[in-house]
Amino acid sequence: MTLQVKKRHLYFPITFSFFGLILVIDQLLLPMFHFADLPFKVSYFLCALWFIGYMTNSSFDYFQNSEFKRFFSAFIVIMIAGTLGEIYISGFWNTGGSEPFIRSMLIYVLTIFAFGLGLQNRNFNASWLIAVFYAAVFLNLLFIIFKFQLPSWLIDFYYSERYVEAFEGIGLTDQRSILELARPRGLFPNPNGSAFLVNIISLFIFLCYRNRVIKTPNLWSMLVIILAPIILSTLLASRGEFIVSIVLALLHIFKSYEKNTSNFFKLSASVIFIPIASIIFILQNVNLEDLQTNIDRIFSILEVLENNDSRDSDVQALSGFARPLLQAIPAYERFILSPLVGSGFAMVPGHEYFKEGTDFFHNDWFRLLVSSGLIGFLAMIYVVFRFVMPVGWPAFIPFFLPGLVNSFLLNIPAVMFFFFMIGFLRVKIKDNE
């Protein structure tokens, strides 16, 4: 299906592949904008426009239509269960407003739209992911290494007043104070999110050439794809994403062995030599104090980050890596209230376990069990095994890390890009059969 835009008697084709490229760039490289206090990105509008086109004049074939209806139905089940749970908890307690519920429902809707648009993108050029990966790495390094030399317009673009307001509770009142934190933020104010978005691009580059959707990148491109996420997650002190970057590196290396034994040995030797040479250079030319602090944070799991800067939101009495796993008791206490359909997303001010809301769990699976109960949990399990795993088991990684120790399903850019690519790969794999 192609939309035609008329201008001065000429027709310019706007294909869904173009929509797909805009979604990828918008979600992975651009910040969140706000309209009347509501988060907004251009790709939200494009996804909604696609859905209107699907409802009025679908060009799906049987496979695409079947896939979308099954996916749509699974998420509708999750949403209905969450809605019933929200009504249930509101009947017993005075909740802290409907904002968490509305936001969660919108994320589910955007996920459905992104998957559908991915299914429509049979002609999407997945090779663009490599260029987007380079851009993401470059921009992250700019904000890590040259953060004080960047032009003000670029800082304002990514660190708007909206983000500064979110840090006011810990004493940060301007962009410079955020950039001065010992732990770098990267392209986006959340360092875990910055590292995650780079890793997820690497993941889908791997899945694309694994499924013969794109050609295997050449040796030099592969070196960047392997090493850049490891370096970034180290600089950003993201423990979960550091582990993911190592796993992805091993996947890329061993896949190269299947393709070309000679390239495997060249790649392996380069992956060993380049870090050693880089370490020698750093030891001779770089102040190691901040770098050492972040490296220590990566390899610590139960220890508190040793950082004297009390303004850093990561300085807490409990390690951020272990905290989500210790939310089992609050999650269980809320789960048993309504195990079948859950108890929604609302917070209950003053309650011992529910005062922080469901986002506080930092664990997607706890949150699903609590918000949508066993019905929603099983529906998501169905989504994972019916749509995600067929493109390759590594596609499950985001549901494990950061899914268990941070959050994947609340990261809107990551979720939309992820399910867009899942939809795209489902169609391409079907075409290649």
Side-chain angles (χ1 to χ4, degrees):
M1 179 177 178
T2 301
L3 299 180
Q4 301 289 343
V5 177
K6 186 175 182 181
K7 185 177 180 181
R8 294 182 182 179
H9 308 294
L10 296 176
Y11 288 87
F12 297 92
I14 301 179
T15 65
F16 284 117
S17 295
F18 178 74
F19 278 15
L21 178 60
I22 295 299
L23 182 145
V24 169
I25 294 174
D26 190 26
Q27 296 302 324
L28 298 177
L29 300 180
L30 299 181
M32 184 74 74
F33 302 104
H34 289 84
F35 178 75
D37 293 330
L38 294 175
F40 179 80
K41 286 197 172 193
V42 173
S43 51
Y44 298 173
F45 168 76
L46 296 181
C47 286
L49 186 61
W50 166 83
F51 186 69
I52 293 172
Y54 169 78
M55 295 298 291
T56 56
N57 184 25
S58 174
S59 60
F60 273 3
D61 59 29
Y62 175 81
F63 174 78
Q64 292 169 310
N65 201 45
S66 174
E67 288 287 283
F68 182 70
K69 287 181 177 179
R70 291 172 184 270
F71 187 87
F72 182 90
S73 299
F75 269 88
I76 288 297
V77 168
I78 296 172
M79 294 170 68
I80 291 174
T83 301
L84 293 175
E86 189 81 6
I87 295 171
Y88 175 82
I89 198 171
S90 299
F92 289 92
W93 287 282
N94 292 322
T95 57
S98 59
E99 189 274 336
F101 169 76
I102 294 173
R103 177 167 55 88
S104 298
M105 291 296 111
L106 286 175
I107 292 174
Y108 289 143
V109 169
L110 290 172
T111 300
I112 294 170
F113 289 176
F115 179 77
L117 182 59
L119 288 172
Q120 191 85 60
N121 268 260
R122 178 177 268 114
N123 297 320
F124 176 74
N125 185 357
S127 298
W128 287 329
L129 292 183
I130 297 176
V132 172
F133 176 84
Y134 289 154
V137 170
F138 174 74
L139 288 170
N140 271 288
L141 289 175
L142 278 183
F143 274 90
I144 294 171
I145 300 173
F146 302 104
K147 53 188 175 183
F148 298 123
Q149 287 75 43
L150 295 176
S152 58
W153 64 265
L154 185 60
I155 295 175
D156 292 339
F157 186 65
Y158 282 97
Y159 286 75
S160 65
E161 293 182 3
R162 189 71 163 180
Y163 288 117
V164 174
E165 292 173 2
F167 284 88
E168 287 181 350
I170 56 174
L172 304 180
T173 57
D174 55 34
Q175 295 156 326
R176 184 174 181 84
S177 62
I178 297 174
L179 293 174
E180 285 177 343
L181 291 173
R183 183 185 182 189
R185 306 287 108 178
L187 187 58
F188 304 107
N190 184 332
N192 292 320
S194 297
F196 181 33
L197 289 179
V198 171
N199 275 337
I200 204 169
I201 306 172
S202 173
L203 169 65
F204 277 104
I205 291 173
F206 170 79
L207 290 172
C208 282
Y209 71 75
R210 178 185 186 271
N211 288 295
R212 303 187 304 279
V213 173
I214 63 173
K215 294 181 179 179
T216 304
N218 61 39
L219 179 63
W220 294 109
S221 292
M222 191 66 78
L223 279 173
V224 176
I225 292 168
I226 289 173
L227 294 176
I230 297 174
I231 294 169
L232 278 177
S233 59
T234 301
L235 294 173
L236 294 169
S238 179
R239 290 163 292 199
E241 293 310 313
F242 178 78
I243 296 171
V244 171
S245 67
I246 295 296
V247 172
L248 291 174
L250 293 174
L251 289 173
H252 285 298
I253 290 172
F254 286 113
K255 190 63 181 176
S256 72
Y257 178 78
E258 296 179 14
K259 295 286 184 179
N260 188 316
T261 305
S262 175
N263 271 354
F264 168 76
F265 288 112
K266 291 178 183 177
L267 191 61
S268 301
S270 300
V271 167
I272 294 171
F273 171 77
I274 291 177
I276 292 174
S278 300
I279 290 170
I280 293 173
F281 175 82
I282 290 171
L283 289 174
Q284 294 178 343
N285 298 278
V286 177
N287 186 332
L288 299 178
E289 184 177 350
D290 286 346
L291 181 61
Q292 182 62 49
T293 299
N294 288 335
I295 291 174
D296 289 344
R297 186 181 187 278
I298 290 175
F299 290 103
S300 67
I301 294 197
L302 298 177
E303 295 180 0
V304 179
L305 171 67
E306 295 180 359
N307 188 334
N308 293 325
D309 189 349
S310 61
R311 297 175 304 173
D312 196 330
S313 62
D314 293 299
V315 180
Q316 300 178 21
L318 182 63
S319 165
F321 195 88
R323 189 188 320 115
L325 303 180
L326 300 180
Q327 295 303 313
I329 294 176
Y332 174 75
E333 291 293 333
R334 183 155 176 168
F335 169 72
I336 60 175
L337 283 178
S338 176
L340 195 60
V341 298
S343 54
F345 310 88
M347 62 181 67
V348 181
H351 193 284
E352 180 182 4
Y353 293 118
F354 311 154
K355 61 183 177 182
E356 302 291 347
T358 59
D359 294 359
F360 182 70
F361 295 139
H362 292 269
N363 184 309
D364 288 333
W365 299 103
F366 286 174
R367 186 171 179 271
L368 268 169
L369 279 169
V370 165
S371 61
S372 298
L374 287 171
I375 290 178
F377 180 83
L378 293 175
M380 185 59 73
I381 293 292
Y382 170 78
V383 168
V384 169
F385 281 93
R386 178 63 176 76
F387 303 100
V388 176
M389 298 297 280
V391 308
W393 69 263
F396 179 73
I397 290 174
F399 292 92
F400 183 73
L401 284 172
L404 287 178
V405 296
N406 195 345
S407 182
F408 163 50
L409 296 178
L410 288 177
N411 188 323
I412 300 176
V415 166
M416 290 190 68
F417 171 69
F418 179 89
F419 281 106
F420 167 80
M421 289 302 301
I422 292 296
F424 163 72
L425 285 174
R426 291 290 292 143
V427 172
K428 297 300 290 186
I429 291 171
K430 179 67 175 178
D431 290 345
N432 290 337
E433 288 179 352

